[in-house]
């Protein structure tokens, strides 16, 4: 008899996550309806929401909770996702062109193959996330937390990675041509077969923990004005004021 009770109890524990998920999904339904009808649901709790292939073009989800949400192939072009919680979200092959993800939490998210061209990811949290083959061309990743992030074969052409934390990140095969990596932390990062053509690494901490001077102005030389990033000629201009710089 005791053995039978133990078997029933074990089965109940194993089935608990399944039954617990049902009311969660039902609880999300009114908010999901609001989102799809009004194109906005800022600060909404959409934990674990199923939005695969959803048309979310230009939606306002700033400050919303989308942790563990299914956003595979979703169209979030131009969406406002500022300070949104997307940790552990599945965003494979999602469209996030021109989206605002500044200060968003994307830690441990699956973003493989996603299109984030020209997206704003400044000060975002991407620790332990997977961005293999993602398109991050001309994106703004300044001061982003990308430590231990998987960026293998990602396209970071012309991306702004100034001051980004890339400690122990895997950038093998990544295209970083024309990228701004000034003051970035690349200590222990993997750069095997990475393309760094025309990348600015002035002040960056390299994988061997040495500080790079590549792209830094020469002592006593006047810094030139960069009117436009040639790799991102359709993006916003990047200006640097002319000044006399002494590195020594």
């Amino acid at each position: 008899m005791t053995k039978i009770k133990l078997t029933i109890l074990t089965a109940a524990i194993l089935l608990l996550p399944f039954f617990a998920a049902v009311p969660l999904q039902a609880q999300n339904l009114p908010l999901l309806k609001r989102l799809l009808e009004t194109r906005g649901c800022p600060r909404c709790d959409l934990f674990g929401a199923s939005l695969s292939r959803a048309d979310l073009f230009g939606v306002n989800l700033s400050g919303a909770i989308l942790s563990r949400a299914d956003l595979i192939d979703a169209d979030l072009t131009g969406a406002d996702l500022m300070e949104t919680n997307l940790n552990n979200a599945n965003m494979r092959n999602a469209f996030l062109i021109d989206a605002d993800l500044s200060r968003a939490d994307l830690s441990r998210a699956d973003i493989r193959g996603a299109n984030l061209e020209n997206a704003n990811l400044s000060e975002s949290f991407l620790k332990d996330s997977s961005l293999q083959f993602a398109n991050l061309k001309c994106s703004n990743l300044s001061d982003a937390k990308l430590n231990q992030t998987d960026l293998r074969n990602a396209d970071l052409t012309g991306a702004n990675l100034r001051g980004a934390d890339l400690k122990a990140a895997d950038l093998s095969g990544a295209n970083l041509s024309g990228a701004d990596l000034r003051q970035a932390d690349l200590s222990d990062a993997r750069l095997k077969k990475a393309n760094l053509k025309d990348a600015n690494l002035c002040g960056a901490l390299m994988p061997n923990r040495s500080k790079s001077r590549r792209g830094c102005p020469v002592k006593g030389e006047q810094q030139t004005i960069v009117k436009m990033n040639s790799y991102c000629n359709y993006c916003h201009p990047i200006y640097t004021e002319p000044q006399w710089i002494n590195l020594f």
Side-chain angles (χ1 to χ4, degrees):
M1 188 72 177
T2 307
K3 195 176 286 185
I4 295 168
K5 285 183 179 178
L6 187 62
T7 305
I8 295 168
L9 182 62
T10 305
I13 291 168
L14 289 170
L15 289 167
L16 185 61
F18 172 78
F19 290 114
V22 176
L24 264 178
Q25 191 71 355
Q27 186 181 350
N28 284 340
L29 286 176
L31 295 177
L32 287 172
K33 186 180 178 183
R34 171 186 162 187
L35 171 63
L36 296 171
E37 287 179 354
T38 68
R39 316 298 296 173
C41 201
R43 301 200 172 278
C44 286
D45 187 349
L46 294 165
F47 178 91
S50 181
L51 289 161
S52 177
R53 297 182 178 83
D55 176 11
L56 300 170
F57 186 100
V59 297
N60 182 359
L61 281 163
S62 58
I65 297 172
L66 282 159
S67 181
R68 297 188 180 277
D70 179 1
L71 290 158
I72 296 174
D73 293 316
D75 187 357
L76 287 149
T77 302
D80 184 352
L81 295 162
M82 187 171 62
E83 298 182 349
T84 300
N85 184 346
L86 286 152
N87 72 71
N88 287 290
N90 192 340
M91 304 167 75
R92 286 201 312 273
N93 302 317
F95 294 90
L96 291 146
I97 304 163
D98 296 316
D100 185 357
L101 289 142
S102 54
R103 297 191 296 279
D105 182 0
L106 293 141
S107 51
R108 297 177 299 282
D110 186 350
I111 321 172
R112 287 174 292 173
N115 191 342
L116 290 137
E117 190 166 338
N118 208 34
N120 183 7
L121 290 139
S122 59
E123 299 182 60
S124 59
F125 297 88
L126 287 144
K127 184 181 177 183
D128 295 318
S129 61
S130 181
L131 284 150
Q132 288 181 55
F133 295 99
N135 180 6
L136 289 150
K137 185 178 179 182
C138 304
S139 59
N140 182 2
L141 285 151
S142 57
D143 297 311
K145 304 298 181 187
L146 291 147
N147 39 321
Q148 300 176 58
T149 298
D150 188 351
L151 286 154
R152 285 176 292 168
N153 300 300
D155 187 356
L156 288 148
T157 304
N160 180 2
L161 287 150
R162 189 170 185 176
D165 182 354
L166 287 151
K167 286 194 293 289
D170 193 346
L171 289 149
S172 303
N175 188 353
L176 289 152
S177 51
D180 185 352
L181 285 151
R182 286 176 290 173
Q183 310 300 324
D185 189 347
L186 288 154
S187 54
D188 298 318
R190 298 178 187 175
L191 290 166
K192 186 179 180 181
K193 294 185 179 180
N195 183 358
L196 288 160
K197 182 184 176 183
D198 299 325
N200 191 335
L201 289 153
C202 180
L205 199 61
M206 301 307 288
N208 62 1
R209 299 180 184 276
S210 66
K211 191 162 280 192
S212 175
R213 289 180 180 172
R214 176 177 165 178
C216 295
V218 179
K219 180 184 178 181
E221 183 180 83
Q222 191 175 22
Q223 191 177 16
T224 55
I225 300 176
V226 183
K227 291 184 178 178
M228 186 73 75
N229 185 324
S230 60
Y231 286 87
C232 304
N233 53 14
Y234 51 86
C235 301
H236 56 81
I238 299 171
Y239 295 102
T240 56
E241 293 184 11
Q243 52 187 319
W244 294 93
I245 296 177
N246 191 338
L247 294 173
F248 306 95

